[in-house]
Amino acid sequence: MINFAQVGNDLYTGKRSVQFIERQKRWYAFSAVIILLALGGLFLRGLNFGIEFRGGTEFRVSGVTATQNYEQNAKSAITEAGIDGNVNASIIGSNTVRVQTEAAEGKTEAAKADLARIFGVEQGQVSASLVGPSWGASVSAQAVRALIVFLALVTLVMAAYFRTWKMALAALIALLHDLVVTVGIYALFGFEITPSSMIGFLTILGYSLYDTVVVFDKVRENTAEAFRTRRMTYSQAANLAVNQTLVRSINTTVVALLPIAAVLFVGFTFLGPGTLLDLSLALFIGIAAGAYSSIFIATPLFVDFRRREPAIIDLERYVARHEVRHESIAVPDEAPTPVDGQAVDTSSGAAPGTPIHTPARPVHKYAQAGPRNQPKRAPKSKR
């Protein structure tokens, strides 16, 4: 059985490592495929805006005992009332049918009578409400304005906090990645976009940003240590940071998705379309996309942005040069008896004169110096 606590400890210490940085092309390719599908859904199918955005009339028939073929019955009633255009029907709860049509000015009472007759209820159990398109246009404009202000503030704050605009740019691209993926999934599957969905879109950006900042904070800590000790490259330090925060990101995402999944189940099964379902659906898709982008997109992008900087290149060359040197001057813990001035690996049966290659350990500066190179000692004073 897998010991998850041990796996998390190994990832944090570096005993185990997932190569997020070296395999960044795989993550980029996967995200590119998802984004292409999302854009295809946006341009080919378009977004399914709710009645709040496009305007129209909404009828609600309560106390329905037989909900079989409710879509066909609703369309028949609306057609008989003389209302043209698309008709969307759905079940709310267990016995309420919601019917959305184009604006039914002057034909509302006829539609209510036909709906009551077809569904077998009293006309008083059918309610109607008219929604104008100007309200939806105002909500859309406010949402776009809020998104632009949010992204601008995020860029400025992150650039000031991390003291590099490249980290802010990587985080911004990850945010846009999450937004495009979420909206594209809505277009592909035809989910209805309501004001609650718009609130969910803005909320997931904040969650994705929070997860990205946590990872970037660890990246900054590890890369500063790499420059100080010069024992690992910049990409190695960044990759270690992602591994160290991997378990935390997964745990946070799972804890956030579980209650949202429960709300989705209750919404689809018992409540039907409504504010709660619309908000939870946007949050579920966006949080999953945000967790992915924080791990697989943001940090690899940031490393790629800095890969050609002179300081990064110099660090990589220094680490590579000293790794080779350590391998060549490695000293075994228990050296065998030397033959002709060279160590012999008697345990492996190697021939005399074959050098031993063992993991390097710290070597004293006089460990391999000959007698002539040993430090001179002061002569003893004569009494």
Side-chain angles (χ1 to χ4, degrees):
M1 182 177 294
I2 300 176
N3 189 339
F4 291 100
Q6 184 62 42
V7 172
N9 184 69
D10 291 345
L11 289 173
Y12 192 87
T13 58
K15 185 177 181 180
R16 298 187 186 187
S17 180
V18 181
Q19 297 302 323
F20 294 104
I21 306 302
E22 291 185 1
R23 300 175 182 175
Q24 79 273 33
K25 293 182 179 180
R26 297 184 182 182
W27 324 134
Y28 295 163
F30 179 77
S31 293
V33 171
I34 299 298
I35 290 176
L36 287 177
L37 291 175
L39 293 177
L42 285 173
F43 290 108
L44 297 179
R45 298 193 58 179
L47 294 173
N48 179 23
F49 287 102
I51 193 173
E52 296 86 355
F53 293 99
R54 67 176 186 271
T57 304
E58 179 178 292
F59 299 91
R60 294 203 178 196
V61 186
S62 59
V64 178
T65 56
T67 56
Q68 295 84 359
N69 300 322
Y70 68 92
E71 292 183 355
Q72 183 178 356
N73 293 336
K75 291 180 180 179
S76 299
I78 297 301
T79 302
E80 291 180 8
I83 301 175
D84 300 326
N86 296 328
V87 178
N88 296 324
S90 56
I91 299 293
I92 299 178
S94 58
N95 59 358
T96 301
V97 178
R98 185 184 71 174
V99 182
Q100 295 179 338
T101 69
E102 303 295 333
E105 298 178 358
K107 302 177 181 178
T108 303
E109 294 300 323
K112 290 172 63 176
D114 290 332
L115 287 171
R117 176 178 54 82
I118 288 181
F119 285 103
V121 299
E122 298 293 333
Q123 187 169 345
Q125 295 177 259
V126 182
S127 62
S129 58
L130 179 65
V131 180
S134 59
W135 187 87
S138 176
V139 171
S140 301
Q142 294 292 338
V144 172
R145 187 178 298 110
L147 177 62
I148 295 174
V149 172
F150 174 80
L151 294 178
L153 290 177
V154 162
T155 304
L156 294 176
V157 171
M158 291 197 66
Y161 178 74
F162 291 108
R163 300 178 182 177
T164 170
W165 63 268
K166 294 182 179 180
M167 189 169 281
L169 179 61
L172 184 62
I173 293 175
L175 288 178
L176 295 176
H177 168 275
D178 301 337
L179 186 62
V180 171
V181 169
T182 304
V183 176
I185 290 177
Y186 264 74
L188 284 174
F189 293 95
F191 296 139
E192 188 179 61
I193 295 181
T194 64
S196 300
S197 303
M198 301 292 291
I199 295 173
F201 294 156
L202 296 177
T203 303
I204 61 178
L205 295 180
Y207 178 88
S208 176
L209 177 65
Y210 166 75
D211 205 24
T212 302
V213 167
V214 171
V215 178
F216 276 179
D217 204 46
K218 194 63 178 176
V219 170
R220 181 178 63 172
E221 177 184 338
N222 285 9
T223 52
E225 183 70 11
F227 279 118
R228 188 182 68 83
T229 61
R230 304 180 73 84
R231 293 181 179 178
M232 62 175 63
T233 64
Y234 193 88
S235 59
Q236 290 171 346
N239 191 76
L240 178 61
V242 180
N243 279 272
Q244 289 175 332
T245 56
L246 179 61
V247 174
R248 176 223 162 266
S249 297
I250 293 175
N251 290 340
T252 304
T253 303
V254 171
V255 169
L257 289 181
L258 283 178
I260 296 176
V263 173
L264 277 176
F265 175 78
V266 173
F268 276 115
T269 307
F270 302 104
L271 301 179
T275 301
L276 193 62
L277 181 60
D278 296 338
L279 182 60
S280 58
L281 180 61
L283 289 177
F284 188 88
I285 298 173
I287 288 177
Y292 171 82
S293 66
S294 299
I295 297 172
F296 295 94
I297 301 299
T299 304
L301 271 177
F302 173 62
V303 173
D304 285 341
F305 289 158
R306 298 202 61 182
R307 196 180 296 275
R308 297 184 180 277
E309 293 183 9
I312 308 298
I313 296 175
D314 178 69
L315 179 61
E316 291 182 354
R317 291 175 178 174
Y318 181 89
V319 173
R321 184 168 62 249
H322 283 73
E323 282 180 352
V324 173
R325 180 180 300 177
H326 288 322
E327 290 179 0
S328 62
I329 66 172
V331 178
D333 293 334
E334 295 181 0
T337 304
V339 178
D340 294 333
Q342 291 185 333
V344 180
D345 187 1
T346 56
S347 61
S348 60
T354 304
I356 301 175
H357 296 282
T358 59
R361 61 183 177 85
V363 180
H364 191 274
K365 61 181 180 179
Y366 298 123
Q368 292 183 333
R372 296 181 179 178
N373 297 326
Q374 294 292 342
K376 304 300 182 181
R377 296 181 180 180
K380 295 181 180 181
S381 59
K382 296 182 180 180
R383 296 182 180 178

